[in-house]
Amino acid sequence: MIESIPTKPGARDQLMNDLKSVIQDAEQWLRHGSQLTGEELQAAKAKFERTLTTAKADLIRLEEAVVEKTKIAAKATDEYVHENPWKSVGIGAAAGVIIGMLISRR
């Protein structure tokens, strides 16, 4: 059975936390940007850039995990179809009939 994506526990949660942090930092910067002085503005900008960079890196890692799992699933499906062609045809036909029945009900 194919395991859930991504394999690294908590990767989605970490990405969501990073994105929320980016949004919060951006909102703070927009609200208080005009009040910040030189050093404060540079510190806020540096924090925002660090958070954004972390979020981008997490997003890239998550994307790579999804692509890798998709490739594995596609390869497993291809092997199954080659080993069981008639079962695959039957499954495809059954799925087509069910989808056709659902569409015709509307």
Side-chain angles (χ1 to χ4, degrees):
M1 180 169 229
I2 297 173
E3 58 190 74
S4 65
I5 298 171
T7 56
K8 181 180 174 185
R12 281 184 262 185
D13 294 335
Q14 180 63 39
L15 177 62
M16 290 306 297
N17 289 337
D18 287 344
L19 291 174
K20 286 177 185 175
S21 181
V22 166
I23 292 168
Q24 288 172 353
D25 288 350
E27 287 173 344
Q28 280 184 335
W29 199 13
L30 288 172
R31 266 188 253 124
H32 305 293
S34 62
Q35 301 167 358
L36 297 176
T37 61
E39 280 186 25
E40 293 172 333
L41 184 61
Q42 291 300 325
K45 182 179 176 184
K47 180 183 177 195
F48 180 72
E49 287 175 348
R50 281 193 308 271
T51 307
L52 186 59
T53 301
T54 302
K56 282 181 182 179
D58 288 346
L59 185 60
I60 289 169
R61 280 196 300 274
L62 184 63
E63 179 185 12
E64 289 170 352
V66 168
V67 168
E68 185 62 32
K69 291 294 178 183
T70 303
K71 287 179 183 179
I72 291 169
K75 184 177 180 185
T77 303
D78 184 56
E79 289 173 1
Y80 179 82
V81 169
H82 279 88
E83 292 171 4
N84 304 295
W86 289 110
K87 283 184 183 178
S88 301
V89 169
I91 290 170
V97 168
I98 291 170
I99 291 171
M101 289 171 52
L102 291 173
I103 290 173
S104 67
R105 294 179 114 194
R106 292 183 180 203

